[in-house]
Amino acid sequence: MTIYFLIFPIITIFYIFPIRNYINRRKFFVSLSFLFLTIVAVFRASTVGADVPTYEGLFVQLLSGESTGHGNTPIYNLYSQLVGKVSTQPLAITIANSIVICVLMAVFIYYSEVNPFYATLLFVGMYFYADSLNGARQYIAIALVLNAFLFLLKRKWIWYISLTLIAIGVHATAIVSLIYIPIVLIRWTLKKSIIFIGSLVVMGLLYLRIIDIFVKIFPRYSFYITGDGYENVQTIGTVSQGKILYYYLFLLTVFLITVFLINKYRILITTDETKIIICYAISLFVGILFYNAILVQRVIWYFSIWGIIFFPIMEDKLSKIFSGGKRDSKFLFVLFFLIVFVVYIIRLQNNYDMIVPYRTWIS
């Protein structure tokens, strides 16, 4: 488990490391940080991550010409075959997935206009990196739609559509990211925001029917509800035992307080920042409404991941409110991160993703 804690001081060293003026500090930090995260992910054994043996087994099946039952993910199947051209060892797909995820997330954070140190800390601290060691295929899709969103903000439709279609071809759940389109196109007002939140509440009341419709469209995800055909699978009735609800309530409280302060002191929020706030709000409200549904929790990864961008934005805005400026806002961010870090420790101890203990394939 030590390696998961060493990540934080190591990326901090990368951030404070003195470099020459002619070197792009942002590029230097993001490159080194994600190079290290890539190394940790690449050299992990097949036992690190509950879904890793499944991915490796499907990889072997695909290369041998057997049916994998993943006909709705043609891009991932094609990608797997390309990896197979390099190596047919089961571990090859785990190595390839790790590289792709870290490269795509590095590109996303680099081009997001927030403090890259905060964003990278939160990517690890809010447990997204740990989740990616388990749900690798979905995290490739998530990283793709995040980069697609950046193109959508600039109305570069060809790039957005291409990346989104690739993401859907990697993991079918990426189709939910199409909600990014109205989020970006709508001109948000207080009235529209209230209607939007009300719609989420209605969804909560109808969630069993919504789950039923989703499973009819994507039947292979029914095991998250019934557990049929899978041993030890976390179903709607067993996951988390409600503990995640407290975490979501904490994040929602911080979200509401920061948004309230920014509105009270009339701090300027750009149009793009508003879209990001809406994306993250979806994860909080839906996360609370569906706190005990593992299927929904996995789907809202496409929105909860925006926390790594939302909170650095809020830190920057709060610095304009307090008399101490950056000093006070940094203190608040550190306080927030310490609470997140406690949750990080608890989740590692619970080991739902089976990423503990960390082992390497190097003999």
Side-chain angles (χ1 to χ4, degrees), residues 233-251:
V233 69
Q234 291 176 315
T235 65
I236 283 183
T238 62
V239 67
S240 212
Q241 297 177 341
K243 295 177 184 177
I244 194 68
L245 177 62
Y246 300 111
Y247 182 52
Y248 277 121
L249 288 173
F250 162 70
L251 294 176

Side-chain angles (χ1 to χ4, degrees), residues 73-347:
T73 57
I75 300 297
Y76 186 78
N77 292 344
L78 175 62
Y79 154 76
S80 297
Q81 290 173 340
L82 292 175
V83 173
K85 299 291 184 182
V86 178
S87 174
T88 58
Q89 292 296 316
L91 195 61
I93 194 66
T94 299
I95 292 173
N97 287 345
S98 301
I99 294 172
V100 171
I101 291 168
C102 288
V103 168
L104 288 173
M105 286 305 304
V107 171
F108 170 68
I109 288 178
Y110 178 78
Y111 285 103
S112 299
E113 297 178 358
V114 296
N115 185 315
F117 177 57
Y118 289 166
T120 307
L121 273 182
L122 291 173
F123 175 62
V124 180
M126 295 182 78
Y127 215 73
F128 297 117
Y129 176 66
D131 280 335
S132 75
L133 299 179
N134 179 39
R137 186 164 63 92
Q138 187 174 354
Y139 260 87
I140 293 176
I142 290 170
L144 283 166
V145 299
L146 288 176
N147 283 283
F149 185 89
L150 297 182
F151 285 111
L152 181 58
L153 288 177
K154 298 175 182 178
R155 303 300 194 275
K156 295 185 177 181
W157 289 99
I158 294 178
W159 278 103
Y160 167 73
I161 293 171
S162 299
L163 288 177
T164 301
L165 289 177
I166 292 172
I168 295 171
V170 169
H171 203 283
T173 57
I175 197 170
V176 302
S177 68
L178 292 177
I179 198 174
Y180 288 167
I181 296 176
I183 287 175
V184 169
L185 297 183
I186 290 174
R187 294 192 176 186
W188 291 95
T189 62
L190 179 60
K191 181 179 179 180
K192 290 177 181 178
S193 299
I194 293 173
I195 293 173
F196 173 72
I197 293 172
S199 300
L200 294 179
V201 173
V202 172
M203 284 177 58
L205 298 174
L206 300 174
Y207 96 95
L208 288 177
R209 184 177 294 275
I210 293 170
I211 291 293
D212 183 57
I213 293 172
F214 185 89
V215 170
K216 284 181 179 178
I217 298 173
F218 304 109
R220 67 174 306 271
Y221 295 103
S222 62
F223 69 86
Y224 281 119
I225 300 174
T226 65
D228 292 343
Y230 289 79
E231 294 182 1
N232 301 319
V233 69
Q234 291 176 315
T235 65
I236 283 183
T238 62
V239 67
S240 212
Q241 297 177 341
K243 295 177 184 177
I244 194 68
L245 177 62
Y246 300 111
Y247 182 52
Y248 277 121
L249 288 173
F250 162 70
L251 294 176
L252 179 62
T253 300
V254 175
F255 174 88
L256 293 175
I257 290 173
T258 52
V259 171
F260 169 77
L261 289 173
I262 287 170
N263 277 280
K264 180 181 179 180
Y265 290 95
R266 300 183 181 279
I267 302 300
L268 178 65
I269 295 287
T270 67
T271 302
D272 288 353
E273 289 169 345
T274 301
K275 314 301 183 185
I276 292 171
I277 291 172
I278 294 295
C279 284
Y280 189 57
I282 290 176
S283 75
L284 295 177
F285 287 103
V286 175
I288 290 171
L289 291 171
F290 300 93
Y291 72 91
N292 64 340
I294 183 62
L295 175 59
V296 180
Q297 292 298 322
R298 281 210 164 196
V299 169
I300 64 170
W301 276 350
Y302 293 96
F303 303 97
S304 59
I305 189 72
W306 284 103
I308 71 174
I309 304 300
F310 169 79
F311 289 108
I313 289 175
M314 293 301 103
E315 186 278 333
D316 180 65
K317 302 301 178 184
L318 290 177
S319 69
K320 299 175 174 61
I321 296 175
F322 299 105
S323 58
K326 277 292 181 183
R327 184 184 62 192
D328 286 352
S329 62
K330 284 180 179 178
F331 171 77
L332 291 173
F333 181 86
V334 169
L335 182 62
F336 165 75
F337 184 76
L338 287 175
I339 298 174
V340 168
F341 186 68
V342 170
V343 177
Y344 177 79
I345 295 172
I346 294 172
R347 295 185 73 175

